[in-house]
Amino acid sequence: MRAAAASLLPTASGVWKRLDNTSKVDQMAGMTALLRAAAARGLAVAILAAALASAHAWAAGPPLRVGMELAYPPFEITDTQGRPAGVSVRLAEALGGHL
């Protein structure tokens, strides 16, 4: 005689069915649903791992360089101390800080 736990089959909806009262087709459908759910979860984990690895590689990459012609006030100018200034410069600095 089988143990009680061995005669139960989990379904995709989380309900346990008794194997004695179900047909082989129903049993296979339940197992197929479980395998699909497990595959979907595995795929989601793989995508998340790839995204995290990509984010780590991006953070460790080379510095972001921005080129501008500093002759278009008020967007791109050189201040009195010879440093880049203006709206576009501040926008590029904010973008670099966000990345």
Side-chain angles (χ1 to χ4, degrees):
M1 181 161 188
R2 292 186 294 184
S7 65
L8 296 176
L9 175 71
T11 62
S13 63
V15 178
W16 290 79
K17 287 184 171 181
R18 293 191 59 81
L19 290 178
D20 301 335
N21 297 333
T22 59
S23 68
K24 292 287 183 186
V25 173
D26 290 339
Q27 292 173 18
M28 291 303 292
M31 291 304 291
T32 301
L34 284 175
L35 289 174
R36 283 184 183 158
R41 287 184 184 133
L43 182 61
V45 168
I47 290 172
L48 179 61
L52 290 174
S54 174
H56 179 68
W58 178 267
L64 177 65
R65 295 179 189 257
V66 178
M68 295 180 191
E69 186 174 343
L70 301 174
Y72 295 100
F75 301 104
E76 300 159 356
I77 59 174
T78 305
D79 66 7
T80 56
Q81 297 168 344
R83 294 181 302 203
V87 176
S88 296
V89 174
R90 287 196 309 263
L91 181 64
E93 289 171 347
L95 178 63
H98 177 71
L99 294 176

